[in-house]
Amino acid sequence: MTQPPPPPPNQPPNQPPQQPGFGPPSPNQPPQQPPQPPQPQPGYGYPQSGPAPQPPQPGYGYPQTGSAPQPGYGYPGAQQNPYGQQPPAYGQQPSAPYGGRPQNPYAQPAQPGYGYPGPPPAVPMQPQPGQGGGGRNNTVLFIVVAAVVAIALIVGGGIWYASSSGDSGQKHDTASSSGGTGGKNGSGSTGGGGKEKVPADPAADVLFKVPLPTTDDVVSTPGSWLTDKVYAKSGVAEIVGYDPAKGTKLWTIKLPGPVCAASKQATSDGRTAITYQPKWDTKNKFAGCTQIAAIDLDAGKKLWTKSVKSGDYPVNYQNVTVGQRAVAVGDTNGGAAFDIDSGKPLWLPKPGDDCYDAGYGGGAKLVAVRNCGDVDNARLLIQTLDPKTGKVISEYRMDQGIDEASIVSTDPLVVAAAAGDSSQITDYFSIDDKTGKLLAHISAPADTYGGKCEGITRFEDCHGIVVGNGKLYLPTAEHAGSSGLGQTNSIVAFDLTTGKPTGQRADAGDDTTLVPLRMDGSNLLAYRPPTYNKGGQIVSVDGGSFKMTKLLQNPAVQNVREAESNILPDSDELLFGDGRLYMGQVFARRKGTSSIGEEDLVLAFGTGG
């Protein structure tokens, strides 16, 4: 890959790149306004995304044991936005996804290539060397500004459904379409089915909907969570808790600025984390994602707010996760972590460090994506950490030339990467989190398989990729169905120990597709987007036979289908639990823009049972 030039002098810290995508870290200056992109175009059904032209990159080799990283400060490789500038908006710097927000699927040609690739080539399987073995630096040379905020709202508390042991953040057996195990048997167990019951009649109605706000500018609204008492969703500079069945507002947490990033994980007692802007900056349009906050979803209140300074300026954190009881945030200026209950710093960036924690994956365990080396010898390290101290438990060193990695799952540990000149995921790595040993390398060419990860600023934001039962579940690339009227695909599985296809396959059927959502015990839950004459569906795929059972059938009424189609499973948020499907958008709409049919911030379906 062509390396970026050195950072220009007097460049603000955490400043959004001049072009969406990657760029070198910047010296400290006040943040400025990011470029304003066009609105994403509405799609109908499950659209495709395609790669964009990329600069040439060096050859790709398989991971190997290597020497310690070279000193210096590593710059992420440059990459263009592959889908024509997804809105970087209030509260969000432009991300550099492996795959972009799709266009209208009816205008898309069939994807080339279909079927299983050959067995992956042999790769070295030695344990990787550690990087010092000590904890993260706990110095207070970097200033932590604490502003404890207690917003008392009258609302009843709730509990998370009990499933796996420990505070994995997956107690409700619900997860968004962003990968992960999502269930108690996700760590390799092949126990019985999950808790989702097969209804006598899967026909669903719209339980409630929340209109999509319109704003003067594109505003990010990431974050949705589900407990047995609350469905919570970020709105425009707020988080709102809704009754899961009725949609009535239970509580509202007002924020001074837009939400930038939201953890997809939460603790067993319903605590999660976000980053947000400290104010609306109407002059500069972007006030920086400098505020880190813990949220109690059951009580509907903000527990604490922190920020981390680099020099004289607060660090702009674009990613946040919860691993056990730790809230972890990463950036080119360094990673930090806080106790989710007290807000006590667990570790902070180390001044002058040659490496930095660019981002983290959370849930049952905490995993860092650590960048080391200079511009010519940059190396990504995948480190499983002690979430209380930051001590490195194990480390896997990605092969040089891979400058993008996303955490699909922390337990078991699975990493997605875009290699060579691809703008989409090309490879998966199954890693033993205790030893750092590579268990399997799974080659998944983008013209053969689907699934998407958002890239360098969203380190666990993967869609259509699920891990469980000791397997990796992927959708195949879409291709023309037998009728020739629409697209179709399948879901296939790979063994995480051998890296080979298991031979299991669930076909979507003509003119429809399947998107893996999460595990439900040993079963896989998948979403079928609406077609021209049917509403969307949730199906359960048996972990052994791959037989599909319908759990939910959304209405076929045209205006409902159109509204459902405007929420895209490969970029927006889908949660399914207790027989109900919650769909949420991650951007508010700019005033004056149009869409096909109704657009909603939240659209919830259920059988009413």
Side-chain angles (χ1 to χ4, degrees):
M1 172 182 293
T2 302
Q3 299 297 338
N10 303 319
Q11 183 82 2
N14 307 296
Q15 176 185 359
Q18 294 304 312
Q19 296 296 330
F22 300 101
S26 314
N28 298 324
Q29 293 269 338
Q32 298 180 3
Q33 175 184 358
Q36 294 299 318
Q39 286 286 309
Q41 300 201 10
Y44 193 73
Y46 183 52
Q48 300 173 350
S49 59
Q54 298 294 318
Q57 300 195 12
Y60 171 69
Y62 298 118
Q64 58 191 10
T65 301
S67 59
Q70 298 296 318
Y73 198 72
Y75 300 120
Q79 175 180 329
Q80 295 178 349
N81 189 321
Y83 53 90
Q85 301 188 15
Q86 169 73 20
Y90 279 116
Q92 179 178 345
Q93 288 184 337
S95 62
Y98 304 147
R101 187 175 181 100
Q103 305 295 318
N104 190 325
Y106 294 134
Q108 295 288 331
Q111 293 279 355
Y114 180 66
Y116 298 101
V123 292
M125 300 180 68
Q126 297 92 355
Q128 305 300 317
Q131 285 289 314
R136 260 53 182 163
N137 182 273
N138 288 328
T139 180
V140 289
L141 292 177
F142 277 54
I143 303 169
V144 177
V145 181
V148 179
V149 180
I151 302 176
L153 299 175
I154 302 173
V155 59
I159 59 173
W160 287 70
Y161 293 169
S163 60
S164 58
S165 61
D167 292 319
S168 68
Q170 298 176 12
K171 304 302 181 183
H172 194 273
D173 276 6
T174 61
S176 73
S177 55
S178 307
T181 58
K184 64 182 177 181
N185 292 315
S187 60
S189 169
T190 56
K195 295 185 299 186
E196 298 298 336
K197 298 178 180 178
V198 179
D201 182 1
D205 296 314
V206 176
L207 296 178
F208 65 92
K209 54 187 177 181
V210 179
L212 185 69
T214 56
T215 56
D216 292 333
D217 240 322
V218 180
V219 176
S220 63
T221 60
S224 58
W225 306 269
L226 181 63
T227 77
D228 66 335
K229 297 291 185 181
V230 176
Y231 168 73
K233 178 74 183 85
S234 294
V236 176
E238 66 179 9
I239 301 175
V240 180
Y242 302 91
D243 180 282
K246 301 176 182 178
T248 53
K249 286 187 180 182
L250 300 179
W251 49 259
T252 300
I253 298 174
K254 291 292 185 180
L255 301 169
V259 176
C260 301
S263 172
K264 296 178 179 298
Q265 314 292 344
T267 63
S268 60
D269 53 351
R271 297 188 172 194
T272 190
I274 61 170
T275 67
Y276 64 94
Q277 291 193 62
K279 61 181 178 179
W280 290 92
D281 191 333
T282 56
K283 181 178 180 180
N284 294 324
K285 303 296 185 184
F286 185 71
C289 300
T290 59
Q291 306 302 294
I292 308 157
I295 305 294
D296 187 329
L297 297 169
D298 291 336
K301 66 180 181 180
K302 185 164 55 166
L303 298 173
W304 49 259
T305 299
K306 304 278 187 181
S307 64
V308 178
K309 281 192 174 180
S310 172
D312 294 331
Y313 299 100
V315 179
N316 176 20
Y317 284 110
Q318 295 291 328
N319 63 91
V320 60
T321 194
V322 173
Q324 296 187 21
R325 307 299 297 188
V327 174
V329 287
D331 183 71
T332 55
N333 283 290
F338 304 87
D339 180 85
I340 197 168
D341 301 305
S342 67
K344 175 185 176 182
L346 300 174
W347 63 85
L348 299 171
K350 180 182 178 182
D353 196 352
D354 291 335
C355 300
Y356 58 88
D357 289 355
Y360 299 90
K365 299 185 179 180
L366 184 63
V367 175
V369 178
R370 191 162 176 82
N371 193 315
C372 291
D374 59 25
V375 68
D376 296 319
N377 298 282
R379 205 69 170 269
L380 289 184
L381 310 177
I382 307 300
Q383 297 178 334
T384 298
L385 308 178
D386 182 329
K388 295 181 180 179
T389 66
K391 180 180 179 181
V392 178
I393 297 172
S394 68
E395 178 181 286
Y396 176 75
R397 187 174 299 184
M398 301 294 288
D399 189 57
Q400 194 166 355
I402 298 179
D403 52 16
E404 300 174 25
S406 295
I407 306 297
V408 179
S409 169
T410 61
D411 187 20
L413 179 52
V414 177
V415 176
D421 59 357
S422 177
S423 62
Q424 296 175 297
I425 300 169
T426 58
D427 299 85
Y428 296 88
F429 302 89
S430 173
I431 302 165
D432 186 330
D433 63 85
K434 296 180 178 62
T435 65
K437 176 182 178 180
L438 178 67
L439 300 176
H441 165 254
I442 299 169
S443 177
D447 61 354
T448 306
Y449 297 101
K452 188 185 78 169
C453 294
E454 290 294 345
I456 199 67
T457 62
R458 302 284 193 233
F459 285 86
E460 60 175 356
D461 192 4
C462 295
H463 299 257
I465 308 163
V466 174
V467 172
N469 292 339
K471 301 169 187 173
L472 170 68
Y473 297 93
L474 296 177
T476 63
E478 296 177 23
H479 61 96
S482 60
S483 69
L485 299 177
Q487 299 290 92
T488 188
N489 75 340
S490 305
I491 294 176
V492 295
F494 292 85
D495 188 285
L496 290 178
T497 302
T498 66
K500 296 180 179 180
T502 65
Q504 296 166 306
R505 186 185 193 95
D507 295 321
D510 262 353
D511 306 328
T512 184
T513 58
L514 282 171
V515 184
L517 281 186
R518 68 168 176 88
M519 297 303 298
D520 178 34
S522 62
N523 297 333
L524 172 70
L525 298 183
Y527 173 65
R528 262 196 183 113
T531 63
Y532 69 94
N533 63 352
K534 291 182 181 179
Q537 298 177 357
I538 295 292
V539 298
S540 177
V541 181
D542 185 273
S545 67
F546 256 46
K547 177 183 177 182
M548 284 188 291
T549 302
K550 189 187 303 182
L551 300 182
L552 195 75
Q553 173 65 66
N554 292 340
V557 182
Q558 181 177 350
N559 65 328
V560 177
R561 284 188 286 111
E562 289 177 347
E564 183 179 358
S565 298
N566 282 325
I567 301 178
L568 306 178
D570 67 346
S571 55
D572 291 315
E573 299 166 343
L574 274 67
L575 299 174
F576 182 78
D578 289 341
R580 303 185 187 108
L581 173 63
Y582 304 88
M583 307 179 71
Q585 292 218 47
V586 296
F587 288 99
R589 184 159 55 88
R590 190 195 304 264
K591 291 178 182 178
T593 57
S594 60
S595 64
I596 300 175
E598 177 184 290
E599 281 197 292
D600 297 292
L601 177 68
V602 175
L603 189 58
F605 298 95
T607 59

